[in-house]
Amino acid sequence: MSIIKINAITVPADSGDELGRRFAAHSGSMTGVAGFEGFELLQPTDGRTQWLVLTRWADEESYDAWRSSQDFARSHGGGTAGEGERPRPVSTTSELWSYTVAVEQHRDAEQQ
């Protein structure tokens, strides 16, 4: 059963569009990452300033391997020296939540 990692990112109201642009610019960066099953960036629609980055993984080991990889470091501000100036941070805080899927239902299964 998959594991879910949710990064709850608090983003000032004037920075949400920039957060979306940055994620879109790296949309193919997870292709080929072992154990990675999917990704969604969820934008709040109710006045909240907390965006959710939802990722699905085959297992905890795959997620841990990606978190300790150079790809993760580069995409999260840990690039090597001399790459130029990093863009200013968009978020003010973030919090990582971990879940497993307890019950799963797909739309196609409802119609059978």
Side-chain angles (χ1 to χ4, degrees):
M1 182 77 50
S2 298
I3 64 161
I4 308 298
K5 298 293 184 176
I6 301 170
N7 192 359
I9 304 172
T10 302
V11 179
D14 64 345
S15 298
D17 289 343
E18 177 62 18
L19 180 70
R21 278 192 291 275
R22 289 183 188 183
F23 271 89
H26 294 92
S27 63
S29 66
M30 298 298 288
T31 302
V33 173
F36 175 75
E37 297 178 349
F39 154 84
E40 294 174 283
L41 174 64
L42 306 178
Q43 178 179 1
T45 59
D46 59 3
R48 296 173 198 248
T49 59
Q50 208 167 39
W51 291 56
L52 302 178
V53 181
L54 187 144
T55 58
R56 183 180 294 258
W57 297 86
D59 51 49
E60 194 74 35
E61 294 77 17
S62 296
Y63 175 76
D64 290 342
W66 173 71
R67 283 287 305 251
S68 61
S69 73
Q70 288 297 318
D71 290 334
F72 176 87
R74 273 192 298 277
S75 67
H76 291 80
T80 59
E83 289 183 353
E85 197 170 311
R86 296 278 309 159
R88 71 171 178 80
V90 175
S91 63
T92 56
T93 63
S94 69
E95 182 178 351
L96 183 64
W97 303 337
S98 298
Y99 293 85
T100 58
V101 177
V103 176
E104 186 171 26
Q105 181 175 354
H106 295 278
R107 188 173 125 195
D108 293 342
E110 293 175 20
Q111 297 173 359
Q112 295 178 1

